[in-house]
Amino acid sequence: MQARIRVVVAKPGLDGHDRGAKVVARALRDAGMEVVYTGLHQTPEQIVETAVQEDANAIGLSVLSGAHMTLFRRVIELLAERDASDIVVFGGGIIPADDIAELEQLGVARIFTPGATTASIIEWVRANVSSPVG
């Protein structure tokens, strides 16, 4: 029997717009995944701590503030420091196309840009995030 995929959905930094993150969190939950939404204004340290404590399989970051390079990089670094690099990091928001390749080189598995459907996000998570054997 497989356990459900556990995803931490987070809004790092000073960005105060969380509608998209809440929509994605609800869609993942409705698709049968366990979702922990951290709320607004989380630090990378808080996000990684939550993911480790919750035994998450993935972290989904929503960044609209323009600080995506710094925030994603720090989450990836902290996961490595915690020996938790097996937690898949993906995200979305207002992220220029030129930055997506660099984020992928840092270890971000996927960036969803505005217009991505919740169905495409669910499909990607199911295909790319392993659920634990329960």
Side-chain angles (χ1 to χ4, degrees), residues 112-128:
F112 293 93
T113 54
T117 65
T118 54
S120 68
I121 296 168
I122 292 164
E123 181 180 323
W124 183 88
V125 170
R126 284 184 175 149
N128 294 279

Side-chain angles (χ1 to χ4, degrees), residues 59-90:
I59 297 172
L61 299 176
S62 172
V63 183
L64 303 172
S65 65
H68 50 273
M69 297 305 294
T70 301
L71 294 168
F72 277 98
R73 177 180 285 115
R74 186 66 181 140
V75 167
I76 296 289
E77 289 170 352
L78 290 166
L79 287 170
E81 289 173 14
R82 297 287 300 266
D83 196 28
S85 294
D86 60 327
I87 298 175
V88 176
V89 177
F90 67 99

Side-chain angles (χ1 to χ4, degrees), residues 16-118:
H17 181 78
D18 65 349
R19 183 171 183 215
K22 287 179 177 177
V23 167
V24 169
R26 179 170 293 210
L28 294 173
R29 183 203 65 200
D30 290 350
M33 298 176 209
E34 291 186 42
V35 178
V36 176
Y37 174 61
T38 63
L40 292 168
H41 310 302
Q42 299 295 296
T43 65
E45 290 78 8
Q46 289 170 315
I47 294 164
V48 169
E49 183 63 28
T50 298
V52 169
Q53 285 183 4
E54 294 291 337
D55 199 22
N57 308 106
I59 297 172
L61 299 176
S62 172
V63 183
L64 303 172
S65 65
H68 50 273
M69 297 305 294
T70 301
L71 294 168
F72 277 98
R73 177 180 285 115
R74 186 66 181 140
V75 167
I76 296 289
E77 289 170 352
L78 290 166
L79 287 170
E81 289 173 14
R82 297 287 300 266
D83 196 28
S85 294
D86 60 327
I87 298 175
V88 176
V89 177
F90 67 99
I94 308 298
I95 299 174
D98 291 346
D99 291 346
I100 292 174
E102 187 174 346
L103 288 169
E104 289 171 346
Q105 287 179 335
L106 289 173
V108 178
R110 177 73 188 264
I111 296 293
F112 293 93
T113 54
T117 65
T118 54

